[in-house]
Amino acid sequence: MTASIYLCCYLSEHGLFGLYHWAIVVARGRLNQPVNVYSITQAGPEEWKKTHKSDVILFKERRIFALVPLPRLNVPFEEAASFLSAEDPTRGNSPPLHKIWSCAQWVIRSLQRMKAFGWFTTTPAGNLSDHVDYYEYMYTQKALRCETALKARATFPDFVGEVVDGVRLLRP
């Protein structure tokens, strides 16, 4: 059985507008069922650690802001889970996006590797081949646009998506 995959944006724990924690969600079925969430967090200066979680019920996660669906994977859930669990949380030789390594860069690098393996059933929206372009696409065209629109009380689905299974799902 193939898996569904999403880019997940959490709101800042400090409540700062436009600041998100990025993660990857891999699901076997509907979003109201347990999913796995893969991310990294900073453990100290230049030190990063894996903060992956299994069997997460997304609508119970208080800081999840929105998910952006990516093309389905053509590999089993277990293979995607194994791959993401093994991904190095450190920058290694990844090209810089900002002056420091971040959860967003880890997500993009992981997705780029999955694309290189041919694991997506179709090409993801945005220019995933260029980490800077992809970051700008996901940040400005998805997360920030949605947060801005919601703050203005907009309801246009192209900007704010729709709530599915208790989770805001943006359009790809």
Side-chain angles (χ1 to χ4, degrees):
M1 177 183 205
T2 62
S4 297
I5 184 167
Y6 304 85
L7 189 148
C8 178
C9 290
Y10 286 83
L11 292 173
S12 161
E13 62 187 43
H14 307 293
L16 299 174
F17 182 83
L19 184 62
Y20 313 103
H21 174 70
W22 289 33
I24 296 172
V25 169
V26 180
R28 287 184 176 95
R30 296 187 57 97
L31 293 173
N32 60 355
Q33 297 172 346
V35 301
N36 287 5
V37 179
Y38 301 91
S39 67
I40 63 167
T41 54
Q42 196 163 14
E46 301 297 317
E47 187 180 338
W48 292 84
K49 65 179 181 178
K50 298 174 186 180
T51 51
H52 309 326
K53 295 188 280 185
S54 299
D55 298 322
V56 174
I57 304 297
L58 291 176
F59 66 84
K60 292 183 179 180
E61 293 283 296
R62 64 178 177 84
R63 290 188 342 187
I64 284 188
F65 172 61
L67 299 178
V68 180
L70 299 167
R72 285 188 68 78
L73 298 175
N74 58 21
V75 296
F77 174 91
E78 294 74 18
E79 190 170 350
S82 177
F83 168 79
L84 289 166
S85 293
E87 277 290 274
D88 184 1
T90 64
R91 179 174 169 192
N93 63 356
S94 298
L97 175 61
H98 302 294
K99 292 181 181 180
I100 61 168
W101 183 240
S102 72
C103 55
Q105 292 176 88
W106 180 86
V107 164
I108 293 168
R109 181 184 68 192
S110 298
L111 295 175
Q112 286 175 327
R113 293 190 62 208
M114 294 171 95
K115 180 183 175 198
F117 294 152
W119 285 6
F120 291 109
T121 54
T122 60
T123 302
N127 183 8
L128 184 55
S129 298
D130 183 308
H131 66 285
V132 175
D133 282 354
Y134 196 71
Y135 173 84
E136 289 301 323
Y137 170 73
M138 283 297 181
Y139 177 76
T140 59
Q141 297 300 311
K142 298 298 174 189
L144 186 61
R145 180 169 72 172
C146 178
E147 188 175 12
T148 302
L150 288 171
K151 192 170 190 146
R153 300 195 188 326
T155 59
F156 189 55
D158 282 347
F159 290 176
V160 300
E162 61 183 319
V163 177
V164 175
D165 294 331
V167 181
R168 182 164 306 281
L169 198 59
L170 302 180
R171 293 188 174 172

